[in-house]
Amino acid sequence: MNQENRIPMTPVWGHEDNSRIPYWAYTQEEVYKKELEKFFYEKHWCYVGLEAEIPEPGDFKRTAIGERSVIMVRGEEGEIYVVENRCAHRGMRFCREKHGKTKSFTCPYHQWNYTLEGELQGVPFRRGVKQDGQVRGGMPKDFKPSEHGLNKLRVAERGGVVFASFDHEIESLEDFLGPTILKYFDRMFNGRKLKILGYNKQRIPGNWKLMQENIKDPYHAGLLHTWFVTFGLWRADNRSELRMDDHFRHAAMVSTRGDGSKNADTTNISSFKESMKLHDPSFLDIEDEDWWGGPTAVMMTLFPNLVLQQNVNSVTTRHIQPTGIDSFDFVWTHFGFDDDTPEMTERRLRQANLFGPAGFVSADDGEVIEFSHEGIEQNDREQALAVLGGRTVEEADHMVSEACIRGMYDYWRKVMGV
Amino acid sequence: MNAENYLKLVQFYQDYAAAVDQEDWDAWLNMFTDDAKYKVQSRENYDRDLPMAVLNMYSKNMLKDRVYGMTETIFHEPYHQCHVVASPRVISASGGEIEAQANYSVFRTKTDGIAEVYNVGRYIDRIQVTDQGFKLASRLCVFDNEMVLNSMIYPI
């Protein structure tokens, strides 16, 4: 083997710009460990859930940030706390229910008891046992419960969406998102109460970044997804914009649907099916909503762990939970709004058939991520190409560009130091 | 329900499994009434009374569109399914309608792969007794899996 073909011990980017992504970014265990630290456990607001999931004091939901199990809980005064699901005593992941209602948290192993905020409030036999008139055992006199609470995360909430950070030295959520992305965030979460419709979960055998890239890639959406092309929901000739924050870590793909007709831009697209007619058109019984303000689809990627979807009347959060370098859980929370009519709720549920693990549109996203990861693993000295629309990182007023992927790697390289 | 009708019901459940396993989608569609509901839903949503489902179909026409989608439009790894369906448990039978449930296990085998446990759960059914035999007015597949192994293309 000559020197050039060797996989470097210390990964180097090996290309002057971000239009090529070395496969080692998806396959090297050390890189993944560093990503967890740098993106999931430091300096980034990570999604944990929606306020509407825990409407009352004591309501909690167990979820994950990176590979760490955390609990989002509503306190007695209505405030929201996020604590790590790990007992301060022996490290046990004590919370096993996915959701529930409680007055306090108790680790069953030794019954250490914590407040909803994560303060240690009870330790059995702290002062030992009395035998033969003597006190035996117990915690040392200098044991301070206040030093042995659960690991408390910093919490930020906006528009009913809850984010948390292990790192307390972090900019505000608003600064983290930046004004461009905040505008689209506030469009979707404009203060109305949310109504949870339910969850879909899938385990996708691929590197977690491939999902971020999938939703920063408007190119595939009008090619892979027959339903998008044929019914004009997402197509290269639709009016579109690609927007990013100043760091290029987050992105919004904004699009307004067309009429789905055949034209010069569909002639070479094999997934365009001119004669396709639905037997039951209610899958696409679309009703414009005031809050859209024009665009019929806005797909947001918030780095590192969240996708926010509005595609016509279907709205979801999609939570990326890495479970290793080559696998992640993808958790969809479908919701509506408190003032939805029963017809609108029904409409959102019908359109949900396009999305999720079985979705007419999204099922193949999971598949292509799995197969991309397979190809990447089989020859990890190679590079992926992201050169559509140029080699630099620029916003666009069309969707024939991979600039958002290049942007993500521009940011990723700065943080990872490669 | 007498033994003869119960045997017919058992046959109906096994016919369904065979239709799906053999990808005989015409036979599959033919087992539903025109306004049939068909849903594949996680146990979490079912237990919490949340309406969201992996597949959520409200008519036989929607099922026809699903067949077109899974055979013509969705790109996916080809795979076989093998359903093992337990004896149905009859909840009620009256006035030409049967309410029954049955546990199922589905194994998936991909083109290059070996069989894996893919989906395990329970059918919750309303079945109409018609001149053309049994028809599903509603089939709800409630699965225990915490998550779908990547994607779900074919019906359960």
Side-chain angles (χ1 to χ4, degrees):
Chain A
M1 187 188 274
N2 68 35
Q3 200 67 26
E4 280 177 4
N5 286 340
R6 214 170 274 168
I7 299 164
M9 292 295 286
T10 308
V12 288
W13 191 257
H15 196 73
E16 63 271 24
D17 56 38
N18 301 304
S19 65
R20 283 157 202 265
I21 302 134
Y23 285 176
W24 56 252
Y26 309 95
T27 58
Q28 295 239 330
E29 198 64 37
E30 290 311 309
V31 170
Y32 171 64
K33 294 275 183 235
K34 196 168 170 183
E35 285 179 330
L36 285 177
E37 287 298 328
K38 295 278 184 192
F39 299 121
F40 290 86
Y41 307 149
E42 286 175 10
K43 293 190 170 48
H44 289 73
W45 286 108
C46 287
Y47 173 79
V48 283
L50 300 173
E51 254 200 87
E53 293 176 274
I54 49 167
E56 292 170 12
D59 285 348
F60 69 87
K61 168 196 162 180
R62 177 166 56 77
T63 180
I65 294 178
E67 292 194 0
R68 292 182 184 165
S69 177
V70 299
I71 308 163
M72 169 176 84
V73 60
R74 194 177 286 273
E76 296 302 334
E77 307 299 324
E79 67 286 24
I80 291 175
Y81 302 113
V82 177
V83 293
E84 189 174 351
N85 181 18
R86 179 174 56 80
C87 181
H89 179 214
R90 306 290 299 167
M92 196 170 110
R93 271 188 185 175
F94 57 90
C95 177
R96 310 310 297 183
E97 296 92 0
K98 297 191 66 59
H99 68 100
K101 195 185 209 52
T102 188
K103 290 200 177 330
S104 62
F105 295 116
T106 300
C107 175
Y109 200 176
H110 304 90
Q111 294 179 25
W112 281 35
N113 179 264
Y114 303 92
T115 65
L116 299 178
E117 198 176 347
E119 299 290 342
L120 181 62
Q121 62 179 354
V123 176
F125 303 114
R126 181 176 167 195
R127 305 198 194 285
V129 289
K130 265 195 185 140
Q131 281 178 333
D132 306 327
Q134 283 194 322
V135 176
R136 296 169 197 264
M139 287 295 187
K141 282 209 165 29
D142 61 358
F143 177 82
K144 292 194 181 71
S146 61
E147 291 171 356
H148 300 282
L150 297 173
N151 191 11
K152 297 176 204 161
L153 283 75
R154 217 180 127 185
V155 177
E157 180 276 331
R158 190 176 174 95
V161 188
V162 184
F163 296 83
S165 168
F166 284 100
D167 187 350
H168 287 245
E169 303 298 312
I170 183 173
E171 63 194 316
S172 71
L173 176 66
E174 288 70 20
D175 287 346
F176 175 73
L177 296 177
T180 304
I181 297 300
L182 200 59
K183 186 182 81 176
Y184 290 107
F185 184 92
D186 287 346
R187 167 183 173 274
M188 194 165 170
F189 302 102
N190 61 5
R192 287 173 298 169
K193 280 191 110 167
L194 308 180
K195 186 162 77 179
I196 306 295
L197 298 178
Y199 306 95
N200 273 325
K201 301 184 189 181
Q202 49 189 146
R203 176 158 292 175
I204 300 179
N207 183 264
W208 67 277
K209 294 191 294 302
L210 293 169
M211 182 51 84
Q212 281 279 347
E213 292 175 37
N214 181 266
I215 311 292
K216 289 178 189 287
D217 160 18
Y219 185 33
H220 86 281
L223 293 164
L224 175 65
H225 303 312
T226 296
W227 278 58
F228 274 177
V229 188
T230 304
F231 301 119
L233 293 172
W234 191 283
R235 243 169 60 168
D237 55 345
N238 286 358
R239 289 233 150 271
S240 316
E241 296 169 45
L242 302 179
R243 296 284 171 251
M244 285 173 268
D245 70 313
D246 290 344
H247 301 275
F248 312 136
R249 53 191 172 190
H250 315 304
M253 304 195 299
V254 184
S255 179
T256 305
R257 73 187 171 115
D259 61 4
S261 59
K262 183 182 175 176
N263 63 27
D265 294 317
T266 59
T267 44
N268 292 320
I269 297 178
S270 62
S271 49
F272 179 73
K273 303 218 180 265
E274 194 185 358
S275 61
M276 180 174 166
K277 291 271 179 299
L278 292 177
H279 291 94
D280 190 332
S282 72
F283 279 119
L284 290 174
D285 169 28
I286 295 160
E287 188 175 293
D288 280 20
E289 298 178 65
D290 291 340
W291 62 272
W292 295 358
T296 55
V298 176
M299 298 296 302
M300 269 179 277
T301 36
L302 306 190
F303 204 74
N305 81 337
L306 181 62
V307 174
L308 294 171
Q309 169 210 331
Q310 178 238 332
N311 207 317
V312 285
N313 300 114
S314 174
V315 274
T316 68
T317 67
R318 309 180 187 173
H319 186 175
I320 299 170
Q321 303 174 1
T323 55
I325 189 164
D326 55 0
S327 171
F328 63 95
D329 290 347
F330 202 40
V331 180
W332 304 60
T333 305
H334 288 256
F335 61 92
F337 302 96
D338 226 23
D339 54 359
D340 283 350
T341 60
E343 292 75 28
M344 182 55 85
T345 299
E346 174 103 354
R347 186 174 287 119
R348 298 195 202 284
L349 290 170
R350 283 171 189 260
Q351 289 178 23
N353 283 297
L354 273 68
F355 305 102
F360 285 117
V361 170
S362 303
D364 28 31
D365 283 328
E367 296 282 295
V368 296
I369 286 172
E370 179 173 348
F371 309 151
S372 292
H373 195 92
E374 284 177 357
I376 286 165
E377 274 191 328
Q378 76 187 23
N379 196 344
D380 76 355
R381 73 181 65 122
E382 294 289 341
Q383 300 169 322
L385 197 61
V387 76
L388 190 76
R391 291 184 170 80
T392 54
V393 184
E394 280 157 352
E395 295 188 326
D397 290 320
H398 57 82
M399 59 167 81
V400 198
S401 171
E402 291 164 326
C404 296
I405 296 176
R406 291 191 291 276
M408 183 181 101
Y409 279 100
D410 186 77
Y411 177 70
W412 186 89
R413 287 176 64 189
K414 280 183 188 139
V415 176
M416 295 288 282
V418 292
Chain B
M1 180 179 280
N2 65 29
E4 190 190 338
N5 284 338
Y6 184 75
L7 280 177
K8 282 183 186 162
L9 189 68
V10 172
Q11 180 72 27
F12 179 73
Y13 274 81
Q14 297 304 322
D15 286 346
Y16 181 99
V20 173
D21 288 347
Q22 290 161 22
E23 296 169 30
D24 184 348
W25 304 123
D26 287 337
W28 179 68
L29 287 169
N30 202 30
M31 300 182 86
F32 290 90
T33 63
D34 286 344
D35 58 353
K37 291 187 171 40
Y38 175 79
K39 218 170 174 179
V40 180
Q41 191 179 39
S42 70
R43 186 161 181 169
E44 182 184 14
N45 286 334
Y46 179 77
D47 286 347
R48 293 171 71 173
D49 231 359
L50 294 167
M52 186 49 54
V54 174
L55 284 167
N56 203 351
M57 307 282 165
Y58 297 78
S59 70
K60 191 184 205 164
N61 279 337
M62 281 181 128
L63 297 180
K64 283 182 189 163
D65 291 328
R66 181 67 197 177
V67 169
Y68 184 79
M70 70 204 190
T71 54
E72 301 291 335
T73 77
I74 300 175
F75 169 71
H76 64 92
E77 170 110 8
Y79 66 92
H80 294 301
Q81 294 196 98
C82 177
H83 284 64
V84 179
V85 179
S87 304
R89 167 176 170 245
V90 177
I91 308 294
S92 73
S94 64
E97 188 171 287
I98 300 166
E99 282 185 1
Q101 302 186 358
N103 283 355
Y104 67 81
S105 307
V106 182
F107 299 87
R108 177 177 73 176
T109 309
K110 293 188 176 188
T111 40
D112 297 335
I114 54 170
E116 61 188 338
V117 179
Y118 175 63
N119 197 277
V120 172
R122 173 169 54 130
Y123 293 125
I124 301 174
D125 299 328
R126 278 191 304 109
I127 298 160
Q128 280 180 12
V129 185
T130 74
D131 296 341
Q132 289 88 44
F134 294 128
K135 300 281 179 196
L136 286 161
S138 169
R139 166 152 278 187
L140 169 59
C141 316
V142 178
F143 60 90
D144 286 353
N145 305 43
E146 169 59 13
M147 68 258 311
V148 173
L149 295 176
N150 200 345
S151 57
M152 181 177 287
I153 311 298
Y154 300 124
I156 297 293

